[in-house]
Amino acid sequence: MAKNKEESSIAKLNILFVAAEVVPFAKTGGLADVAGALPKAIKELGHNIIVVMPRYYKIDTSKLTKLEAPLSVPMGVMGEFLAGVYTATLPNSDVPIYFIDHEGYFGRHGLYEDHGGGYGDNDNRFIFFSKAALQLCKLLNFTPDIIHTNDWHTAAIPLLCKTRFKHDFAYAANVLTIHNLQHQGNFYRGLVDVMEVGWEHFNAHELESFHRVNLLKGGIYHADAVTTVSKKYAQEIQTSDFGFGLDAHIRGHSHKLFGILNGVDYDEWNPSIDNFIAKKYDFDDMSGKLACKRDIQKHFNLELRYDVALIGFVGRFAEQKGIGLIAGIIHGLLDLDVQIIMLGTGEQWAEGFFSHVAHHRANFGLHIGYSDELAHKIEAGSDMFLMPSLFEPCGLNQIYSLRYGTLPIVRGTGGLDDTIVNFDEHHKHGNGFKFYEASQEALYYTVLWALKIYNDDKIAFEDMQKTAMQQHFDWDDSAKGYEEVYQYALDKKRN
Ligand code: ADP
Ligand code: GLC
């Protein structure tokens, strides 16, 4: 894999990039950030890439162009379904994006669920979407060299290319990126008939898992290359602690597994040009960060003080994000001279629990919901960012935090471990505060330590902020990593 930059130019490729969510059109998490940014960086390398996603109800079609001909999508025992197609380009680029439109499957408020429960037909919805993406290539006369799929939603494609769609796609090399192994697309086995891939593929090496279909498992088997979004996570998912039951399967395919760290879109996450925040700033003049701190304190009705440490959290209220650990120590932390603010939505118990805390504690601010603007304001106004995830394939918020000089307090797992260098008190070096053990004690004492540095060693703290702000996690670097994986997958396919 190691190549130097001069050698990295490979023949211009046609790439089909398929994802269930893409910024700025629809987003529930980091997958959308990646799908909105990586294709642009790949295009910059000179490749011909198109992106395909579903047209969810909330995507306004008035600014999109509708294609004349509808697609016909075979759904096995259910017959042929028609799909409409809209198109546009990814913002600030000429990368085409296509939206698969079907009222029955995607004319709903949520992407995957409403009110906490997943849609009962998510299996059919995403097989339909996967097949529609392939049919679209035929309609456009687009012949992909590489098909880049993401997570379970599109993980059926590598097998579809070898079976139902083999006449048109048998030559294409498939690359599957795992953004989160927790979600595997486990469904009733009758789905095999909707996929039309043949029951011979319903076996323990390919699609079958506990008598059900496991789409991600089949994708890992059939893809020519598999990637995860950090190197550490690529290692972790081969262990039973992080494998969600697929670790042995992944170990069996580790020869084609690569870890490539996500990048950051610095046009969006950058305090020197961020229009959401109260005052822009950069590492050479951080005074604007104080204005942002005051702004967010006002927003959350906190005491207006510059001298108190302000810790922020933005993320899904899911076990993955370590919210159980935070809940366990929040009262202990709030007894200290500190302010804590949280933005998120998700598990009901957490929403209820933190609402209760907000009601009773003056130094705690909470916003339950999803707000891009507030996420930016929290990044800018906080002194530290809390991300004690139990597992974290990459994690984007800690990388955004670095750019805003908001020092991350993280658990050393996955991409958090790969991006955060623990503060070394002796050499006064690092870009955040890190612990490893998934316990409330470890989190509590790490926050205490970070507060001590904030309060008693201002110079070291500010130096760390400046160092953090000058680090770069560019998509260009990640795109070059994917380019090498594409080449690997093509070589494998052709030899
Ligand atoms: P994950 O994809 O596991 O949720 P990431 O750190 O990769 O975690 O990405 C999460 C993305 O979603 C970030 O861009 C983050 O700012 C955003 N995000 C998460 N929750 C919210 C929220 N409640 N409001 C606004 N943005 C959010
Ligand atoms: C997933 C992971 C997160 C990662 C994101 C984008 O949602 O949970 O860690 O940053 O995908 O790859």
Side-chain angles (χ1 to χ4, degrees):
M1 281 280 295
K3 273 185 178 179
N4 60 43
K5 287 181 184 172
E6 294 74 43
E7 287 175 329
S8 74
S9 58
I10 60 175
K12 182 172 169 172
L13 300 172
N14 279 347
I15 301 159
L16 167 67
F17 190 96
V18 199
E21 47 184 276
V22 182
V23 153
F25 304 102
K27 165 169 169 178
T28 66
L31 167 60
D33 293 280
V34 174
L38 174 61
K40 294 199 244 179
I42 289 171
K43 175 94 186 187
E44 291 281 305
L45 293 177
H47 301 294
N48 194 12
I49 185 163
I50 66 171
V51 180
V52 186
M53 71 175 291
R55 189 249 139 178
Y56 300 105
Y57 187 60
K58 66 177 179 185
I59 298 176
D60 176 10
T61 53
S62 66
K63 295 191 189 82
L64 311 177
T65 308
K66 194 168 173 47
L67 296 197
E68 287 284 317
L71 292 174
S72 176
V73 184
M75 289 292 279
V77 285
M78 295 189 290
E80 298 266 327
F81 286 30
L82 287 183
V85 184
Y86 289 90
T87 185
T89 48
L90 289 180
N92 307 318
S93 82
D94 55 357
V95 174
I97 175 161
Y98 295 90
F99 302 85
I100 302 298
D101 188 33
H102 186 277
E103 183 63 27
Y105 283 144
F106 299 118
R108 312 175 187 187
H109 287 287
L111 272 58
Y112 318 116
E113 59 176 42
D114 271 334
H115 310 300
Y119 295 129
D121 58 351
N122 272 342
D123 48 358
N124 291 344
R125 295 173 80 221
F126 286 99
I127 293 302
F128 173 80
F129 171 59
S130 299
K131 287 181 168 181
L134 295 178
Q135 289 292 74
L136 175 68
C137 288
K138 292 200 269 171
L139 183 80
L140 298 174
N141 272 326
F142 183 80
T143 309
D145 302 295
I146 295 287
I147 301 181
H148 190 157
T149 49
N150 294 277
D151 279 347
W152 70 264
H153 322 102
T154 50
I157 290 181
L159 177 57
L160 287 170
C161 287
K162 291 180 184 170
T163 53
R164 179 67 171 82
F165 289 80
K166 68 173 183 249
H167 296 303
D168 296 292
F169 295 97
Y171 62 87
N174 268 278
V175 174
L176 168 66
T177 296
I178 301 173
H179 296 263
N180 193 331
L181 190 62
Q182 184 174 25
H183 307 290
Q184 300 178 0
N186 257 294
F187 299 109
Y188 173 60
R189 62 180 185 277
L191 188 62
V192 172
D193 282 332
V194 180
M195 295 169 77
E196 304 169 287
V197 292
W199 281 93
E200 64 275 22
H201 296 287
F202 187 70
N203 63 65
H205 296 292
E206 299 182 51
L207 275 180
E208 191 262 340
S209 184
F210 297 100
H211 309 299
R212 289 160 68 81
V213 166
N214 183 319
L215 292 176
L216 197 63
K217 183 176 179 181
I220 292 167
Y221 182 95
H222 285 284
D224 300 290
V226 178
T227 70
T228 64
V229 286
S230 68
K231 287 199 181 343
K232 177 89 186 256
Y233 193 60
Q235 297 302 318
E236 287 175 337
I237 56 174
Q238 300 182 49
T239 68
S240 55
D241 283 352
F242 295 89
F244 288 100
L246 281 189
D247 43 299
H249 184 66
I250 291 169
R251 283 197 299 278
H253 293 278
S254 59
H255 58 281
K256 60 175 183 184
L257 175 65
F258 304 93
I260 302 173
L261 195 72
N262 287 332
V264 169
D265 186 346
Y266 288 113
D267 289 339
E268 195 192 343
W269 297 96
N270 181 349
S272 67
I273 53 168
D274 190 331
N275 287 325
F276 285 128
I277 65 180
K279 189 153 186 228
K280 299 181 178 59
Y281 62 93
D282 216 333
F283 68 92
D284 49 0
D285 177 5
M286 305 256 302
S287 55
K289 189 163 174 66
L290 283 179
C292 295
K293 181 167 180 173
R294 180 163 284 255
D295 178 51
I296 203 74
Q297 284 173 330
K298 264 196 205 146
H299 179 95
F300 282 103
N301 245 331
L302 302 172
E303 202 181 340
L304 301 181
R305 281 173 58 196
Y306 287 139
D307 63 321
V308 63
L310 176 56
I311 303 180
F313 172 97
V314 178
R316 291 181 288 118
F317 283 177
E319 277 303 312
Q320 173 193 344
K321 300 292 171 186
I323 50 163
L325 296 180
I326 299 176
I329 62 162
I330 192 85
H331 284 294
L333 287 181
L334 291 170
D335 287 341
L336 306 168
D337 188 28
V338 66
Q339 294 178 338
I340 300 178
I341 49 181
M342 293 180 79
L343 163 64
T345 170
E347 287 178 26
Q348 261 180 2
W349 74 263
E351 294 191 356
F353 175 84
F354 289 116
S355 300
H356 188 76
V357 176
H359 196 70
H360 288 93
R361 310 292 301 231
N363 52 343
F364 181 70
L366 174 72
H367 181 104
I368 292 185
Y370 193 92
S371 164
D372 233 358
E373 176 172 357
L374 207 46
H376 283 251
K377 283 175 181 283
I378 292 175
E379 286 292 2
S382 304
D383 300 299
M384 285 165 263
F385 192 88
L386 196 56
M387 210 160 159
S389 306
L390 299 185
F391 71 93
E392 195 61 76
C394 176
L396 295 170
N397 274 115
Q398 86 280 11
I399 316 184
Y400 303 154
S401 300
L402 293 174
R403 186 65 189 86
Y404 285 78
T406 303
L407 298 181
I409 301 172
V410 306
R411 190 165 104 74
T413 180
L416 295 174
D417 205 27
D418 284 354
T419 52
I420 303 307
V421 181
N422 206 4
F423 179 54
D424 172 345
E425 287 206 34
H426 187 63
H427 298 97
K428 307 277 183 204
H429 169 258
N431 65 6
F433 303 92
K434 186 153 74 169
F435 63 100
Y436 285 91
E437 191 185 283
S439 72
Q440 294 177 14
E441 288 76 16
L443 171 60
Y444 180 75
Y445 286 111
T446 308
V447 176
L448 237 56
W449 176 43
L451 290 176
K452 177 173 164 290
I453 305 300
Y454 175 86
N455 288 315
D456 301 343
D457 197 347
K458 289 256 179 257
I459 293 179
F461 195 91
E462 285 169 17
D463 279 352
M464 246 202 293
Q465 288 181 301
K466 291 193 168 130
T467 309
M469 290 183 75
Q470 291 173 78
Q471 282 189 278
H472 274 275
F473 295 86
D474 287 308
W475 271 115
D476 309 3
D477 297 331
S478 316
K480 285 186 189 120
Y482 281 102
E483 192 181 50
E484 291 182 15
V485 171
Y486 292 161
Q487 188 61 61
Y488 166 91
L490 278 172
D491 290 347
K492 196 155 167 263
K493 187 88 199 164
R494 288 171 184 168
N495 293 321

